[in-house]
Amino acid sequence: MTVRVVVADDQALVRTGFRMILTAGGADVVAEAATGAEAVDAVRRTKPDVVLMDVRMPELDGLEATRRILTGTAAAPRIIILTTFDLDQYVYAALAAGASGFLLKDVTPEHLVAAVRMVQDGDALLAPAITRRLVRRFARPDPQTATLHRDLATLTRRETEVLRLLAGGLSNAELAAVLHLSEATVKTHVARILAKLNLRDRVQAVVVAYETGLVSPGSPED
């Protein structure tokens, strides 16, 4: 199945380059957008699978555009945030809002195509070291986080353990090795955690683990 993509960036050269790369990789770029407002409108019109969203755009930035796209619909596309540097508070906020990951704009063509395919398949674009560094830099314990669809008390003891290790950046294979479980069982635990906490993917799970205080900077899992 061909993946349908919207490319949102205020630089025409970036949009054109990404369109060429994605088209050559077999994707269908169904729309381009130069502002956040145009991105929201393009998503509503074309119903893409994936959105490449520049985090800083005029009129409406990528963060607010992400929030509007992901609010109120179960069929929302996966959003990959585009940024020029990884330690960006806007990127962190977008991940917390439900974006499936982020890419630096100097990404290689092969990595760009692979990233789009990955999030289309429902995986989070999670580079553990970078994501943990980003979350560690900007996450702060938030008392409201645990009450707004984030009630960790609904998790079993095993699920809480999985979430804590997940926040440490472990892959399913690494989780399985540490917990002496099969990868299939680990995937089931992760799926249940996401469902119970009303999260879209593993990236949000990392954010929630920090914001609820389950994991804190400097802890063994960090």
Side-chain angles (χ1 to χ4, degrees):
M1 182 181 297
T2 301
V3 56
R4 293 163 51 82
V5 183
V6 167
V7 177
D9 193 289
D10 60 344
Q11 298 181 41
L13 188 60
V14 172
R15 296 197 306 274
T16 300
F18 278 16
R19 174 187 281 273
M20 291 175 62
I21 292 169
L22 291 168
T23 300
D28 181 12
V29 178
V30 295
E32 296 181 15
T35 69
E38 288 181 8
V40 174
D41 179 66
V43 168
R44 289 172 178 167
R45 285 188 293 103
T46 63
K47 295 180 172 53
D49 303 303
V50 178
V51 180
L52 293 175
M53 180 79 74
D54 184 12
V55 74
R56 298 177 185 271
M57 288 185 289
E59 294 183 24
L60 191 72
D61 64 28
L63 169 57
E64 183 58 30
T66 295
R67 286 173 174 157
R68 294 188 185 186
I69 290 170
L70 296 180
T71 298
T73 174
R78 298 281 174 167
I79 296 179
I80 299 173
I81 298 296
L82 301 172
T83 182
T84 53
F85 60 103
D86 53 12
L87 290 181
D88 187 332
Q89 189 166 9
Y90 282 87
V91 174
Y92 169 75
L95 297 179
S100 294
F102 68 95
L103 291 172
L104 298 179
K105 287 189 179 181
D106 61 359
V107 61
T108 65
E110 295 79 10
H111 191 187
L112 175 64
V113 173
V116 168
R117 296 290 184 191
M118 186 182 299
V119 298
Q120 180 201 22
D121 291 339
D123 293 327
L125 187 60
L126 181 65
I130 295 175
T131 302
R132 275 190 297 136
R133 190 165 73 245
L134 181 75
V135 172
R136 205 163 51 219
R137 172 85 172 264
F138 297 112
R140 297 292 182 273
D142 181 358
Q144 293 184 340
T145 301
T147 61
L148 185 61
H149 308 296
R150 305 288 193 270
D151 188 357
L152 300 188
T154 63
L155 302 181
T156 65
R157 181 179 301 178
R158 175 66 87 182
E159 289 165 353
T160 301
E161 185 179 15
V162 170
L163 177 57
R164 185 180 288 111
L165 293 170
L166 180 65
L170 273 64
S171 67
N172 284 344
E174 290 168 335
L175 285 168
V178 170
L179 298 172
H180 305 290
L181 300 172
S182 69
E183 282 195 53
T185 300
V186 168
K187 289 180 181 179
T188 298
H189 283 311
V190 172
R192 287 175 178 168
I193 290 167
L194 299 183
K196 286 183 178 181
L197 301 183
N198 194 29
L199 303 174
R200 288 177 61 83
D201 53 42
R202 298 166 73 104
V203 173
Q204 277 194 299
V206 174
V207 171
V208 167
Y210 277 85
E211 290 191 344
T212 57
L214 180 66
V215 176
S216 58
S219 66
E221 291 79 15
D222 181 71

